[in-house]
Every structure is written in C-alpha cells, then in structure tokens.
C-alpha cells in the first residue's frame, strides 16, 4: 500500500516552503540530474541493469539510484529517476541510446500521416513503470524530503521527436516551423495533452512538486518562443492537479516576465541570468531556482565554495530561492565538489539569515 503523507508530514519541507515564498532557516538545495554518471554507485547500478533504459524502466533500480545522492549529501529534494524521452517512447517512436551518442528515435516524425496518427499515451498503461517508480521512490523516502516529478516541455519533446536525436541547429524542426507550422502545432497539441496527463498521473502517484524541462525553448526567437513553447507550457500548467511547479527554459533569460506569468510557482534560471536582475524583474511573483554553472563542480573546493557564496549573495535572503545548478550536473563533476557545494549552501545561507554573513 502506498502511504499518502501530507506535505506537513515531511521531515524536511524547506523546498516546499521556498516554493511558496515562505521564510526558511536556510536555502534549500538540489541539483538537476543529481543521480547520474558522476557517482560511481550510479555507474555500478547502471552496469547491473545493463543499460540506461533498462535502469530507467526498472522501478526498483530507479528508486535505488534516485536515493543515491541523498545518501551522500544533505539535499533538500529527491527527483524521480527517469528521462524526458519516456513520453515519445510511449507514443511509439522507438527510443534508444547509441553508446556515447545520446538519445535517438527509430521513427522520427517527418511525414504528415505519422503526425496525424500521433496519439496521447495513457500513463497508467504505457508509462506505468514511471508511476511505479514514483510510488516506490516516495515510499523509500519515507518523508525525508519531497519528491520532484518531471516532464519535458511540449516543445523540447517535439525537438527530439522531429529531429530524431539531439542537434546543434534543430534544422528539421525549424524547417517544419517554416513550411508546415500546422504540423508542428499538431505535434505540440498532442504533446501538451500527453504531458498534462503524465504529470497529473505522477502527482497522483506521489510526486509533491513537478518540473517542466524546456531545454530547447531558448533556441527560438521571441515570437516563436511564445507561440510554440510557452503557450503549450501554459496549457499544461493550467490543467495540473494542485502541486507546486517549476518551469526551466534553458537560455530563456530574455523572457523571464512571461515565464513567471505562465502559471508556475517557480522559474529555473541558467547561469547567464544575473540573479539580482531576476529578483527585480520577477522575484515578487514567483520563486526562483538556480543558477550555478555546472562546470564549477570540476574546479577545486575553495572555488566551488566561493562561487556558491556569490550565487547566494546575488539572490539575497528574501524568501523564494531554491539553490540549484543552471543546467544538469555533468559526468565530470567531482563527488567531493558536490559535497563542498551542498555544505557551503547550507552553512552560508544560514549565516546570511542570522546577519553574520
Ligand atoms: O535529475 C535527475 O537526477 C533525474 C533524472 C533525469 C535524467 N534525464 C536521467 C538521465 C532527468 C531530469 C533528465 C532530463 C532530460 N533528459 C533532459 C532535460 C534536462 C537537460 O539536461 O536539459 C533532456 C534534454 C534529456 C534527454 C537526454 N537523456 C539526453 C540528452 C541524454 C544523454 C545525455 C548525456 O549526458 O549523455 C539522456 C540520458 C540520461 N538521462 C542520462 C541520465 C542519468 C545518462 C545516461 C547514462 O547513464 O548513460
């Protein structure tokens, strides 16, 4: 039986308080991709599973790796171990990982007939393994910290679905936007409904916060970002069950006001955004998450600590900051650097609040 703990049953609700822009004793911290290849224990479990996809599709192993970073570091949140590309995989596009080359789809979406056939998956069927992982992770956490569920944004999923892999220029996506914007809108509409059902199913299964990863929205011009990415995230956010939500558009610094007005509880910032400016522009309306450059975690501890203090100084002590990286942690991060980071965020943010900073 799954346990339905209330947020108040959490032993550490610092993240939820910061998302609600309530005062906290220190700045909560978690790291995008906190379970991953920089951790030797992750690599060991992945080897046991046989591949990344087998790992992600096993609820027991996904639970194990989601908890690994929490065993090492006093983080303030766990994130579901999965991938954004589970949704297009459930739509039948055939996700696979070519060794060392990142994600690929066997059947990228290029022709009108395939796009017309595209359908919203039922999360309880095609994505059941993800919901099982949410339930099992939530149970294993036993109220230690909140569990974050997530999805790719409709536009970011469309990028991979059309291109069939990652890309520097998203040529096929932009060709479709120019030649057949109706087809792109059709894909985005199916994606938005899929993402809504998927996140609502995660919330029902026990996710206490949800995050939209809009990794590629920032590759669009301003008008296209509004029309092809933000409009569909707004649609998702408007239909979510009650839960705090975080929207992260990588390279979205130019559009902070409109992202903040999308209906989310918090806006994720990459490291190109000046936190002081973000606070001035939107800090009164939503919480902010970010924004240390992940490359800092490959440098000596003293620099990690100094850069962490700079980020904390820049956000200031007003409520509503969640410390994170400005993008996912890299496989080259040193585990000891992560320990130094989490320790410094806790200690220095406490000190700032008591006025001894
Ligand atoms: O944060 C967490 O710990 C949860 C797990 C998580 C993964 N992917 C696991 C993963 C999350 C939140 C994601 C999101 C994701 N996946 C995004 C959005 C965030 C971002 O980084 O921009 C994107 C674009 C993807 C698609 C994807 N999945 C790519 C591009 C890759 C290859 C990346 C690489 O570094 O090789 C993946 C694979 C992937 N997803 C790995 C992990 C831990 C590495 C796979 C492995 O173990 O071999």
């Amino acid at each position: 039986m799954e346990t339905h703990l209330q947020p108040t049953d959490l032993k550490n609700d610092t993240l939820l308080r910061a998302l609600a822009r309530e005062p906290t004793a220190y700045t909560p911290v978690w790291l995008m991709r906190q379970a991953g290849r920089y951790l030797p224990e992750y690599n060991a479990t992945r080897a046991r599973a046989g591949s990344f996809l087998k790992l992600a599709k096993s609820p027991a192993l996904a639970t194990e790796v989601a908890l690994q970073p929490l065993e090492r570091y006093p983080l303030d949140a766990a994130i579901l171990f999965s991938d954004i590309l589970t949704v297009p995989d459930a739509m039948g596009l055939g996700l696979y990982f070519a060794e060392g080359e990142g994600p690929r789809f066997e059947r990228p979406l290029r022709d009108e007939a395939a796009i017309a056939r595209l359908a919203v998956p039922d999360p309880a069927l095609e994505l059941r393994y993800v919901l099982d992982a949410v339930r099992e992770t939530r149970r294993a956490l036993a109220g230690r910290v909140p569990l974050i569920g997530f999805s790719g944004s409709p536009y970011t999923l469309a990028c991979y679905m059309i291109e069939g892999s990652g890309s520097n220029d998203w040529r096929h996506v932009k060709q479709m936007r120019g030649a057949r914007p109706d087809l792109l809108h059709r894909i985005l509409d199916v994606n938005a409904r899929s993402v809504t059902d998927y996140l609502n199913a995660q919330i029902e299964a026990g996710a206490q916060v949800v995050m939209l990863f809009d990794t590629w929205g920032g590759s669009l011009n301003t008008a296209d970002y509004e029309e092809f990415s933000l409009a569909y995230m707004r649609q998702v956010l408007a239909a979510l069950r009650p839960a705090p939500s975080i929207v992260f558009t990588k390279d979205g610094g130019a559009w902070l006001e409109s992202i903040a007005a999308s209906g989310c509880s918090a806006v994720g910032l990459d490291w190109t955004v000046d936190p002081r400016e973000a606070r001035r522009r939107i800090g009164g309306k939503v919480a902010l998450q970010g924004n240390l450059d992940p490359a800092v975690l490959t440098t000596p501890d003293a620099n990690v600590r100094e850069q962490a203090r700079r980020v904390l100084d820049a956000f200031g002590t007003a409520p509503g900051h969640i410390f994170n990286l400005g993008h996912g942690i890299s496989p080259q991060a040193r585990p000891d650097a992560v320990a130094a980071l989490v320790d410094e965020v806790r200690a220095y943010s406490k000190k700032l609040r008591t006025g001894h900073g």
Side-chain angles (χ1 to χ4, degrees):
M1 271 304 288
E2 88 203 52
T3 52
H4 275 292
L5 295 171
Q6 294 302 304
T8 47
D9 297 327
L10 276 166
K11 294 174 192 111
N12 174 354
D13 65 354
T14 317
L15 174 78
L16 300 183
R17 286 183 184 283
L19 283 167
R21 289 182 299 125
E22 292 169 10
T24 54
Y26 62 90
T27 303
V29 55
W30 70 277
L31 306 176
M32 290 190 269
R33 298 270 193 107
Q34 65 191 21
R37 287 166 294 175
Y38 74 103
L39 289 177
E41 59 270 33
Y42 168 85
N43 293 322
T45 309
R46 181 181 180 277
R48 244 197 305 138
S51 72
F52 166 69
L53 272 183
K54 284 183 184 152
L55 173 55
K57 289 185 176 184
S58 155
L61 295 180
T63 299
E64 182 181 311
V65 295
L67 266 66
Q68 285 173 347
L70 294 155
E71 305 302 334
R72 278 195 187 236
Y73 316 114
L75 294 159
D76 296 292
I79 181 163
L80 163 71
F81 188 82
S82 187
D83 196 78
I84 64 166
L85 301 177
T86 55
V87 170
D89 188 43
M91 291 171 171
L93 273 63
L95 175 64
Y96 68 100
F97 283 81
E99 196 55 49
E101 285 182 54
R104 291 250 193 290
F105 285 108
E106 283 163 27
R107 292 171 289 280
L109 280 180
R110 299 279 170 79
D111 69 275
E112 190 160 358
I115 293 167
R117 279 196 307 271
L118 195 69
V120 176
D122 180 348
L125 299 173
E126 285 99 333
L127 292 158
R128 166 131 195 198
Y129 65 92
V130 179
L131 304 180
D132 287 341
V134 171
R135 282 184 278 264
E136 197 163 333
T137 305
R138 178 74 192 266
R139 195 158 42 223
L141 283 169
R144 273 165 78 179
V145 292
L147 175 61
I148 303 170
F150 69 90
S151 170
S153 73
Y155 183 75
T156 291
L157 295 179
C159 283
Y160 288 99
M161 291 161 72
I162 296 163
E163 208 70 33
S165 68
S167 170
N168 294 325
D169 55 8
W170 303 103
R171 187 158 46 97
H172 293 96
V173 183
K174 292 191 175 182
Q175 268 164 3
M176 189 182 290
R177 185 261 171 268
R180 290 297 303 273
D182 60 310
L183 295 184
L184 184 52
H185 276 303
R186 153 85 188 147
I187 297 169
L188 291 167
D189 176 64
V190 175
N191 285 359
R193 289 185 282 125
S194 304
V195 168
T196 302
D197 291 355
Y198 184 49
L199 288 179
N200 279 335
Q202 289 184 34
I203 293 168
E204 233 181 327
Q208 290 145 300
V209 175
V210 290
M211 176 155 167
L212 281 170
F213 284 93
D214 187 30
T215 308
W216 299 111
S219 65
L220 292 166
N221 69 43
T222 295
D224 283 1
Y225 175 70
E226 166 61 39
E227 180 177 345
F228 295 95
S229 184
L230 189 58
Y232 290 95
M233 291 200 284
R234 223 184 266 128
Q235 186 184 316
V236 171
L237 293 164
L240 281 189
R241 291 170 182 277
S245 55
I246 307 167
V247 169
F248 173 58
T249 293
K250 173 91 172 22
D251 298 318
W255 312 310
L256 295 183
E257 288 83 357
S258 49
I259 300 169
S262 66
C264 62
S265 321
V267 174
L269 308 175
D270 67 46
W271 62 92
T272 66
V273 175
D274 173 3
R276 290 185 177 83
E277 205 189 305
R279 283 282 210 187
R280 272 196 298 277
R281 287 166 65 188
I282 57 169
K285 300 192 178 72
V286 289
L288 301 176
Q289 173 172 285
N291 72 343
L292 185 73
D293 183 344
V296 169
L297 293 174
T298 64
T299 69
D301 283 6
N303 184 60
V304 171
R305 289 180 182 274
E306 185 193 330
Q307 299 298 326
R309 291 194 297 272
R310 280 199 199 185
V311 169
L312 288 165
D313 282 335
F315 277 99
T317 53
H321 175 219
I322 298 130
F323 196 104
N324 206 312
L325 304 176
H327 197 196
I329 195 166
S330 78
Q332 290 76 37
R334 285 186 303 108
D336 288 349
V338 176
L341 173 66
V342 174
D343 180 69
E344 190 67 29
V345 170
R346 177 71 65 96
Y348 188 70
S349 68
K350 256 188 201 165
K351 200 158 111 181
L352 280 179
R353 279 166 176 75
T354 52
H356 304 294

